[in-house]
Structures are given as structure tokens and as C-alpha cells.
Amino acid sequence: MQPAQQLDYAAVRAAADRIAGAVRPVAVAPAAQGVWYALEHLQHTGSFKARGARNFLAAHRDAGSLPAAGVTIASGGNAGLACAWAARAQSVPATVFLPANAPRVKVDRLRGYGAEVRLVGDRYAEALAACEEFAAASGALSSHAYDHPLIAAGAGTLLDEIRAALPGLDTVVVAVGGGGLFAGVATAAREHGVRVVAAEPENCRALNAALAAGRPVDVAVDSVAADSLGATRVSADALAAARDETVRSVLVPDGAITAARRALWEEHRIVVEAGAATALAALRGASGPLGERVAVILCGANTDPADLVAPGV
């Protein structure tokens, strides 16, 4: 039996029940007049991905479809870390495929969560192909970084937590890569009449391009935020959510992303990855107020902070 796999508000509420007590409720902190930061970069594994990974495995466990062979994923980034962390919590193996040239620090972190790491080829596509072969041969459950209703629903639990901490929330700003976080948050936001600003780098614009084309399309990826927002194609669920009249798609230049990331450090001593700073860059670049009570989701902090501190400091 497979768990229900439809992204709607009921799925988000079901996800909230599954992951309750297993993830850190998001903290919301005032930033400026009418603006608050949702500090999801403090989540387990350093990003929002923990929510979706935990929901994905818990749903399969509840449905009796979580195999003894565990779970497998091709990702050396936040999704891989979250998958390994969630698998450890369920006491099942996690097998993570990476290109052979993956940074040692990523391999070590994955192994620190108990994952078996397999290094294949020198491109992500080769690691993904090997992951798919492994899943077919071993019976392991194949996970995805963002393109799955259970992953997106888990991420969407953020919105109700933000609303609980910030009554009267009218707008949320969220960075978009492949669209898992956006799709989940937008699904919940629509239920409550909350507007969503979908922020993407100018040269990592999978959602914006899909809206223009009327369907998901492949895009070139070239941005300072490409390590976390560099999906070449947005999910169908994200495109569907973005078509709602309460959603606004915004593109921001790399310079604005870098400046926003530095501002978070200099003004608040908050260290986030460039992908998370993309949401703040959209707010800072807006021609006028985005709302009266706006939450900016700071979605991840898996980054090297060395470039934020001046030499010798």
C-alpha cells in the first residue's frame, strides 16, 4: 500500500501531524517595521528539507511501504542530508549517491548521519542513474529532493507555524529552486488567503520560465545561489500553485542576493546560504511594501561563512 500522494491542504495538515515533535517549530523574529524573519535555517540538518524528508518516510512507514532496504537519493546537498537524518530516525538504511568529485565535507556530513555514500561518475546525472539502478535492484525506496507531494507537503507545514507565531500574516516571501518549499507553502497559504512572493535568481528561473511557457521547461543554471536553487526544471505542483492569483513571481540579480546575505550577517549576525538570502533580496528590491505583516523565510544555512568575516577579524 502506498501513502496518499496528492498535494493539497489536507496533505499539509497530515504532514504536520506526522512530523510533530520530530522537527523544530520555526522561530519567527522581528526584523523591521512590518517584516519578520522565519528562522528555518535553525532546523535539523540546517534547512527546511528535514520536514519533507521526515514526512516522506513517516508516511511510508504508516502505510507499511517503508522497505527494510531503506531509502535512497541522489543529492549531496540539503536534501541528501535531510534524507539521511530522517532515515536514521526511522532506523532504516539511507544510501546516498554523489558524483565522485563531491566535496569531502559533504561526504563526511552524510556519513555522520549514518548514510552509506556511493560516489559515481563526475556528474550529478551519473549519480542519479546509479541511484535509480540501485533502487530497482535493492527494493530501496527512491526519494527526491523536491518533486514529490509528500516532500512538498512536509515543507508546507512551515506556513501554519508562521501564522501561529505571527497573527495577521498577510504575505510570505519564499525562495524557489525546484519548487518543493514553494509548492507546500503556497498550498497552505492559499487556504488562509496569504499572499506568496516566489523569489528566484535571474539565472535560476525555473518557476518563472514555466509560468511564461505554460509548462515546466528546462532552464540554464548560473547563479551564486545555484548550489541550493539550481534546479533545471520546476515541479508540476509548483507551477500549479504559482498560477494562483495570490502568487507573485519575482527575479533578483546575484548582486542583490550577495548583498542580502551580507546584510543578514552584519545587521543580525544571521548566517544563511545564498538561496535563503534570495527571499530577502526580493523584499529589499521591491518597489513598495509587499504587505503589512510580511514573513521572509530563511530556509537554509548550509554554507561556508568565511566570506562574511573580514580577514583578521
Side-chain angles (χ1 to χ4, degrees):
M1 177 179 176
Q2 291 291 316
Q5 297 187 5
Q6 177 179 349
L7 181 59
D8 53 21
Y9 186 61
V12 175
R13 292 306 309 151
D17 290 340
R18 287 192 199 100
I19 69 177
V23 300
R24 295 170 180 152
V26 68
V28 177
Q33 182 65 38
V35 178
W36 285 258
Y37 293 151
L39 307 179
E40 184 64 2
H41 67 294
L42 301 177
Q43 188 56 258
H44 291 292
T45 74
S47 88
F48 75 94
K49 296 283 190 180
R51 294 173 181 269
R54 182 79 186 209
N55 184 51
F56 179 78
L57 291 185
H60 278 279
R61 176 204 61 203
D62 294 347
S65 55
L66 182 57
V71 62
T72 186
I73 192 171
S75 170
N78 292 338
L81 293 170
C83 182
W85 169 80
R88 184 178 67 179
Q90 297 292 343
S91 300
V92 296
T95 306
V96 182
F97 287 79
L98 300 173
N101 57 3
R104 180 74 186 191
V105 64
K106 289 187 176 182
V107 174
D108 289 345
R109 285 196 68 192
L110 285 164
R111 287 176 174 157
Y113 283 122
E116 178 183 346
V117 180
R118 299 194 181 186
L119 303 175
V120 178
D122 59 6
R123 294 181 299 113
Y124 172 76
E126 294 173 274
L128 177 60
C131 178
E132 292 170 346
E133 291 176 8
F134 172 78
S138 67
L141 179 65
S142 183
S143 186
H144 195 278
Y146 61 87
D147 193 3
H148 193 286
L150 289 169
I151 298 291
T157 59
L158 253 176
L159 194 280
D160 281 347
E161 290 182 15
I162 295 171
R163 289 183 65 248
L166 184 56
L169 172 74
D170 58 59
T171 305
V172 63
V173 188
V174 58
V176 183
L181 175 60
F182 164 74
V185 166
T187 297
R190 182 173 62 247
E191 182 74 13
H192 302 292
V194 175
R195 295 185 295 272
V196 181
V197 176
E200 295 176 280
E202 288 180 339
N203 295 318
C204 281
R205 54 188 298 173
L207 178 62
N208 186 268
L211 285 168
R215 58 184 175 82
V217 292
D218 289 332
V219 297
V221 171
D222 181 17
S223 170
V224 67
D227 60 338
S228 56
L229 302 184
T232 57
R233 177 179 286 238
V234 78
S235 72
D237 281 334
L239 175 57
R243 285 175 167 150
D244 192 87
E245 61 182 11
T246 61
V247 174
R248 175 182 171 193
S249 173
V250 174
L251 300 177
V252 293
D254 273 8
I257 296 170
T258 300
R261 180 170 176 264
R262 177 161 292 279
L264 283 166
W265 167 248
E266 293 180 346
E267 298 171 14
H268 304 285
R269 285 303 187 256
I270 293 175
V271 178
V272 298
E273 56 199 63
T278 300
L280 178 58
L283 175 74
R284 285 162 55 99
S287 58
L290 297 178
E292 294 183 359
R293 295 176 74 79
V294 180
V296 178
I297 297 177
L298 303 181
C299 57
N302 289 317
T303 184
D304 182 353
D307 61 337
L308 293 172
V309 181
V313 174

